[in-house]
PDB file of all heavy atoms in Angstrom:
ATOM      1  N   GLN A   1     -33.901  11.651  -1.955  1.00 89.00           N
ATOM      2  CA  GLN A   1     -32.891  10.598  -1.764  1.00 89.00           C
ATOM      3  C   GLN A   1     -31.562  11.103  -2.313  1.00 89.00           C
ATOM      4  O   GLN A   1     -31.416  11.363  -3.501  1.00 89.00           O
ATOM      5  CB  GLN A   1     -33.321   9.325  -2.472  1.00 89.00           C
ATOM      6  CG  GLN A   1     -32.372   8.148  -2.254  1.00 89.00           C
ATOM      7  CD  GLN A   1     -32.950   6.864  -2.830  1.00 89.00           C
ATOM      8  OE1 GLN A   1     -34.045   6.424  -2.448  1.00 89.00           O
ATOM      9  NE2 GLN A   1     -32.246   6.287  -3.774  1.00 89.00           N
ATOM     10  N   ALA A   2     -30.565  11.240  -1.414  1.00 89.00           N
ATOM     11  CA  ALA A   2     -29.216  11.659  -1.812  1.00 89.00           C
ATOM     12  C   ALA A   2     -28.310  10.434  -1.787  1.00 89.00           C
ATOM     13  O   ALA A   2     -28.302   9.669  -0.822  1.00 89.00           O
ATOM     14  CB  ALA A   2     -28.695  12.736  -0.868  1.00 89.00           C
ATOM     15  N   MET A   3     -27.564  10.254  -2.892  1.00 89.00           N
ATOM     16  CA  MET A   3     -26.731   9.055  -3.024  1.00 89.00           C
ATOM     17  C   MET A   3     -25.316   9.450  -3.473  1.00 89.00           C
ATOM     18  O   MET A   3     -25.145  10.414  -4.219  1.00 89.00           O
ATOM     19  CB  MET A   3     -27.343   8.090  -4.050  1.00 89.00           C
ATOM     20  CG  MET A   3     -28.795   7.732  -3.789  1.00 89.00           C
ATOM     21  SD  MET A   3     -29.539   6.880  -5.194  1.00 89.00           S
ATOM     22  CE  MET A   3     -28.538   5.406  -5.258  1.00 89.00           C
ATOM     23  N   GLN A   4     -24.368   8.700  -3.001  1.00 89.00           N
ATOM     24  CA  GLN A   4     -22.988   8.923  -3.456  1.00 89.00           C
ATOM     25  C   GLN A   4     -22.213   7.618  -3.363  1.00 89.00           C
ATOM     26  O   GLN A   4     -22.329   6.882  -2.375  1.00 89.00           O
ATOM     27  CB  GLN A   4     -22.269  10.003  -2.635  1.00 89.00           C
ATOM     28  CG  GLN A   4     -20.879  10.339  -3.185  1.00 89.00           C
ATOM     29  CD  GLN A   4     -20.313  11.609  -2.576  1.00 89.00           C
ATOM     30  OE1 GLN A   4     -20.983  12.259  -1.782  1.00 89.00           O
ATOM     31  NE2 GLN A   4     -19.119  11.968  -2.953  1.00 89.00           N
ATOM     32  N   SER A   5     -21.441   7.343  -4.398  1.00 86.00           N
ATOM     33  CA  SER A   5     -20.619   6.134  -4.412  1.00 86.00           C
ATOM     34  C   SER A   5     -19.469   6.267  -3.400  1.00 86.00           C
ATOM     35  O   SER A   5     -18.926   7.354  -3.191  1.00 86.00           O
ATOM     36  CB  SER A   5     -20.042   5.905  -5.809  1.00 86.00           C
ATOM     37  OG  SER A   5     -19.108   4.844  -5.798  1.00 86.00           O
ATOM     38  N   LEU A   6     -19.134   5.154  -2.777  1.00 87.00           N
ATOM     39  CA  LEU A   6     -18.022   5.124  -1.816  1.00 87.00           C
ATOM     40  C   LEU A   6     -16.706   4.725  -2.494  1.00 87.00           C
ATOM     41  O   LEU A   6     -15.747   4.332  -1.817  1.00 87.00           O
ATOM     42  CB  LEU A   6     -18.330   4.151  -0.684  1.00 87.00           C
ATOM     43  CG  LEU A   6     -19.525   4.527   0.213  1.00 87.00           C
ATOM     44  CD1 LEU A   6     -19.744   3.445   1.269  1.00 87.00           C
ATOM     45  CD2 LEU A   6     -19.299   5.872   0.879  1.00 87.00           C
ATOM     46  N   ALA A   7     -16.672   4.858  -3.835  1.00 85.00           N
ATOM     47  CA  ALA A   7     -15.466   4.451  -4.570  1.00 85.00           C
ATOM     48  C   ALA A   7     -14.245   5.241  -4.127  1.00 85.00           C
ATOM     49  O   ALA A   7     -13.157   4.682  -3.910  1.00 85.00           O
ATOM     50  CB  ALA A   7     -15.699   4.615  -6.071  1.00 85.00           C
ATOM     51  N   ASN A   8     -14.423   6.577  -4.004  1.00 86.00           N
ATOM     52  CA  ASN A   8     -13.271   7.398  -3.604  1.00 86.00           C
ATOM     53  C   ASN A   8     -12.804   7.055  -2.200  1.00 86.00           C
ATOM     54  O   ASN A   8     -11.601   7.026  -1.920  1.00 86.00           O
ATOM     55  CB  ASN A   8     -13.645   8.879  -3.687  1.00 86.00           C
ATOM     56  CG  ASN A   8     -13.818   9.342  -5.123  1.00 86.00           C
ATOM     57  OD1 ASN A   8     -13.263   8.743  -6.045  1.00 86.00           O
ATOM     58  ND2 ASN A   8     -14.602  10.405  -5.317  1.00 86.00           N
ATOM     59  N   VAL A   9     -13.783   6.798  -1.324  1.00 88.00           N
ATOM     60  CA  VAL A   9     -13.419   6.426   0.054  1.00 88.00           C
ATOM     61  C   VAL A   9     -12.667   5.109   0.078  1.00 88.00           C
ATOM     62  O   VAL A   9     -11.607   4.966   0.711  1.00 88.00           O
ATOM     63  CB  VAL A   9     -14.680   6.347   0.936  1.00 88.00           C
ATOM     64  CG1 VAL A   9     -14.324   5.804   2.326  1.00 88.00           C
ATOM     65  CG2 VAL A   9     -15.332   7.713   1.036  1.00 88.00           C
ATOM     66  N   GLU A  10     -13.219   4.123  -0.635  1.00 87.00           N
ATOM     67  CA  GLU A  10     -12.563   2.818  -0.666  1.00 87.00           C
ATOM     68  C   GLU A  10     -11.190   2.909  -1.304  1.00 87.00           C
ATOM     69  O   GLU A  10     -10.224   2.260  -0.859  1.00 87.00           O
ATOM     70  CB  GLU A  10     -13.430   1.811  -1.433  1.00 87.00           C
ATOM     71  CG  GLU A  10     -14.782   1.526  -0.791  1.00 87.00           C
ATOM     72  CD  GLU A  10     -14.622   0.845   0.562  1.00 87.00           C
ATOM     73  OE1 GLU A  10     -13.627   0.112   0.747  1.00 87.00           O
ATOM     74  OE2 GLU A  10     -15.483   1.053   1.434  1.00 87.00           O
ATOM     75  N   ASP A  11     -11.080   3.729  -2.346  1.00 89.00           N
ATOM     76  CA  ASP A  11      -9.785   3.885  -3.013  1.00 89.00           C
ATOM     77  C   ASP A  11      -8.771   4.534  -2.084  1.00 89.00           C
ATOM     78  O   ASP A  11      -7.615   4.108  -2.008  1.00 89.00           O
ATOM     79  CB  ASP A  11      -9.966   4.720  -4.289  1.00 89.00           C
ATOM     80  CG  ASP A  11      -8.650   4.858  -5.051  1.00 89.00           C
ATOM     81  OD1 ASP A  11      -8.088   3.821  -5.472  1.00 89.00           O
ATOM     82  OD2 ASP A  11      -8.177   6.008  -5.205  1.00 89.00           O
ATOM     83  N   SER A  12      -9.204   5.583  -1.387  1.00 89.00           N
ATOM     84  CA  SER A  12      -8.292   6.254  -0.445  1.00 89.00           C
ATOM     85  C   SER A  12      -7.856   5.319   0.670  1.00 89.00           C
ATOM     86  O   SER A  12      -6.668   5.266   1.043  1.00 89.00           O
ATOM     87  CB  SER A  12      -8.982   7.492   0.148  1.00 89.00           C
ATOM     88  OG  SER A  12      -9.278   8.433  -0.856  1.00 89.00           O
ATOM     89  N   LEU A  13      -8.790   4.568   1.204  1.00 89.00           N
ATOM     90  CA  LEU A  13      -8.458   3.636   2.281  1.00 89.00           C
ATOM     91  C   LEU A  13      -7.553   2.514   1.777  1.00 89.00           C
ATOM     92  O   LEU A  13      -6.643   2.057   2.497  1.00 89.00           O
ATOM     93  CB  LEU A  13      -9.733   3.048   2.882  1.00 89.00           C
ATOM     94  CG  LEU A  13     -10.623   4.033   3.641  1.00 89.00           C
ATOM     95  CD1 LEU A  13     -11.903   3.340   4.119  1.00 89.00           C
ATOM     96  CD2 LEU A  13      -9.879   4.636   4.834  1.00 89.00           C
ATOM     97  N   GLN A  14      -7.796   2.062   0.529  1.00 91.00           N
ATOM     98  CA  GLN A  14      -6.952   1.002  -0.026  1.00 91.00           C
ATOM     99  C   GLN A  14      -5.529   1.492  -0.218  1.00 91.00           C
ATOM    100  O   GLN A  14      -4.559   0.785   0.084  1.00 91.00           O
ATOM    101  CB  GLN A  14      -7.536   0.516  -1.350  1.00 91.00           C
ATOM    102  CG  GLN A  14      -6.805  -0.668  -1.960  1.00 91.00           C
ATOM    103  CD  GLN A  14      -6.838  -1.899  -1.052  1.00 91.00           C
ATOM    104  OE1 GLN A  14      -7.867  -2.196  -0.445  1.00 91.00           O
ATOM    105  NE2 GLN A  14      -5.717  -2.594  -0.957  1.00 91.00           N
ATOM    106  N   ARG A  15      -5.404   2.741  -0.722  1.00 92.00           N
ATOM    107  CA  ARG A  15      -4.044   3.294  -0.905  1.00 92.00           C
ATOM    108  C   ARG A  15      -3.353   3.502   0.438  1.00 92.00           C
ATOM    109  O   ARG A  15      -2.154   3.272   0.571  1.00 92.00           O
ATOM    110  CB  ARG A  15      -4.129   4.602  -1.685  1.00 92.00           C
ATOM    111  CG  ARG A  15      -4.349   4.376  -3.189  1.00 92.00           C
ATOM    112  CD  ARG A  15      -4.227   5.645  -4.015  1.00 92.00           C
ATOM    113  NE  ARG A  15      -5.463   6.420  -3.954  1.00 92.00           N
ATOM    114  CZ  ARG A  15      -5.591   7.611  -3.388  1.00 92.00           C
ATOM    115  NH1 ARG A  15      -4.538   8.173  -2.816  1.00 92.00           N
ATOM    116  NH2 ARG A  15      -6.736   8.261  -3.405  1.00 92.00           N
ATOM    117  N   LEU A  16      -4.127   3.933   1.425  1.00 90.00           N
ATOM    118  CA  LEU A  16      -3.543   4.090   2.763  1.00 90.00           C
ATOM    119  C   LEU A  16      -3.102   2.745   3.330  1.00 90.00           C
ATOM    120  O   LEU A  16      -2.001   2.622   3.903  1.00 90.00           O
ATOM    121  CB  LEU A  16      -4.563   4.739   3.707  1.00 90.00           C
ATOM    122  CG  LEU A  16      -4.124   4.843   5.177  1.00 90.00           C
ATOM    123  CD1 LEU A  16      -2.901   5.743   5.313  1.00 90.00           C
ATOM    124  CD2 LEU A  16      -5.265   5.364   6.054  1.00 90.00           C
ATOM    125  N   LEU A  17      -3.942   1.726   3.164  1.00 90.00           N
ATOM    126  CA  LEU A  17      -3.591   0.396   3.664  1.00 90.00           C
ATOM    127  C   LEU A  17      -2.345  -0.134   2.972  1.00 90.00           C
ATOM    128  O   LEU A  17      -1.449  -0.709   3.631  1.00 90.00           O
ATOM    129  CB  LEU A  17      -4.771  -0.552   3.444  1.00 90.00           C
ATOM    130  CG  LEU A  17      -4.586  -1.980   3.953  1.00 90.00           C
ATOM    131  CD1 LEU A  17      -4.355  -1.992   5.464  1.00 90.00           C
ATOM    132  CD2 LEU A  17      -5.790  -2.842   3.593  1.00 90.00           C
ATOM    133  N   THR A  18      -2.271   0.061   1.667  1.00 91.00           N
ATOM    134  CA  THR A  18      -1.078  -0.385   0.933  1.00 91.00           C
ATOM    135  C   THR A  18       0.174   0.336   1.432  1.00 91.00           C
ATOM    136  O   THR A  18       1.230  -0.280   1.636  1.00 91.00           O
ATOM    137  CB  THR A  18      -1.266  -0.126  -0.572  1.00 91.00           C
ATOM    138  OG1 THR A  18      -2.434  -0.817  -1.027  1.00 91.00           O
ATOM    139  CG2 THR A  18      -0.056  -0.603  -1.356  1.00 91.00           C
ATOM    140  N   ALA A  19       0.038   1.657   1.625  1.00 90.00           N
ATOM    141  CA  ALA A  19       1.192   2.430   2.116  1.00 90.00           C
ATOM    142  C   ALA A  19       1.614   1.970   3.505  1.00 90.00           C
ATOM    143  O   ALA A  19       2.809   1.845   3.801  1.00 90.00           O
ATOM    144  CB  ALA A  19       0.839   3.916   2.131  1.00 90.00           C
ATOM    145  N   LEU A  20       0.627   1.694   4.355  1.00 87.00           N
ATOM    146  CA  LEU A  20       0.954   1.238   5.715  1.00 87.00           C
ATOM    147  C   LEU A  20       1.632  -0.124   5.691  1.00 87.00           C
ATOM    148  O   LEU A  20       2.617  -0.362   6.419  1.00 87.00           O
ATOM    149  CB  LEU A  20      -0.316   1.173   6.563  1.00 87.00           C
ATOM    150  CG  LEU A  20      -0.936   2.526   6.949  1.00 87.00           C
ATOM    151  CD1 LEU A  20      -2.265   2.307   7.668  1.00 87.00           C
ATOM    152  CD2 LEU A  20       0.010   3.329   7.838  1.00 87.00           C
ATOM    153  N   LEU A  21       1.115  -1.036   4.865  1.00 88.00           N
ATOM    154  CA  LEU A  21       1.712  -2.372   4.819  1.00 88.00           C
ATOM    155  C   LEU A  21       3.124  -2.338   4.247  1.00 88.00           C
ATOM    156  O   LEU A  21       4.053  -2.927   4.814  1.00 88.00           O
ATOM    157  CB  LEU A  21       0.827  -3.306   3.986  1.00 88.00           C
ATOM    158  CG  LEU A  21      -0.533  -3.667   4.595  1.00 88.00           C
ATOM    159  CD1 LEU A  21      -1.345  -4.513   3.622  1.00 88.00           C
ATOM    160  CD2 LEU A  21      -0.337  -4.409   5.910  1.00 88.00           C
ATOM    161  N   LEU A  22       3.274  -1.635   3.112  1.00 89.00           N
ATOM    162  CA  LEU A  22       4.610  -1.560   2.513  1.00 89.00           C
ATOM    163  C   LEU A  22       5.576  -0.789   3.402  1.00 89.00           C
ATOM    164  O   LEU A  22       6.713  -1.212   3.633  1.00 89.00           O
ATOM    165  CB  LEU A  22       4.514  -0.912   1.128  1.00 89.00           C
ATOM    166  CG  LEU A  22       3.807  -1.726   0.036  1.00 89.00           C
ATOM    167  CD1 LEU A  22       3.734  -0.937  -1.257  1.00 89.00           C
ATOM    168  CD2 LEU A  22       4.540  -3.046  -0.199  1.00 89.00           C
ATOM    169  N   GLY A  23       5.107   0.375   3.880  1.00 87.00           N
ATOM    170  CA  GLY A  23       5.980   1.188   4.729  1.00 87.00           C
ATOM    171  C   GLY A  23       6.321   0.492   6.029  1.00 87.00           C
ATOM    172  O   GLY A  23       7.476   0.480   6.464  1.00 87.00           O
ATOM    173  N   GLY A  24       5.294  -0.112   6.672  1.00 84.00           N
ATOM    174  CA  GLY A  24       5.546  -0.807   7.931  1.00 84.00           C
ATOM    175  C   GLY A  24       6.469  -1.990   7.757  1.00 84.00           C
ATOM    176  O   GLY A  24       7.394  -2.199   8.557  1.00 84.00           O
ATOM    177  N   GLY A  25       6.229  -2.776   6.685  1.00 85.00           N
ATOM    178  CA  GLY A  25       7.108  -3.923   6.445  1.00 85.00           C
ATOM    179  C   GLY A  25       8.534  -3.501   6.153  1.00 85.00           C
ATOM    180  O   GLY A  25       9.496  -4.076   6.699  1.00 85.00           O
ATOM    181  N   THR A  26       8.669  -2.462   5.305  1.00 88.00           N
ATOM    182  CA  THR A  26      10.021  -1.983   4.964  1.00 88.00           C
ATOM    183  C   THR A  26      10.737  -1.437   6.190  1.00 88.00           C
ATOM    184  O   THR A  26      11.911  -1.742   6.431  1.00 88.00           O
ATOM    185  CB  THR A  26       9.936  -0.900   3.877  1.00 88.00           C
ATOM    186  OG1 THR A  26       9.264  -1.431   2.733  1.00 88.00           O
ATOM    187  CG2 THR A  26      11.325  -0.423   3.489  1.00 88.00           C
TER     188      THR A  26
END
């Protein structure tokens, strides 16, 4: 059984979403 947390993925996607929202709105 190989396991890995998706924390880094979620963090990267959250930062990308924030950048898109702020950048797009600006």
Side-chain angles (χ1 to χ4, degrees):
Q1 184 172 302
M3 307 168 63
Q4 186 167 357
S5 172
L6 295 178
N8 290 336
V9 174
E10 296 295 330
D11 182 61
S12 297
L13 293 177
Q14 185 61 41
R15 283 189 279 114
L16 175 63
L17 182 61
T18 302
L20 289 174
L21 291 176
L22 291 178
T26 303

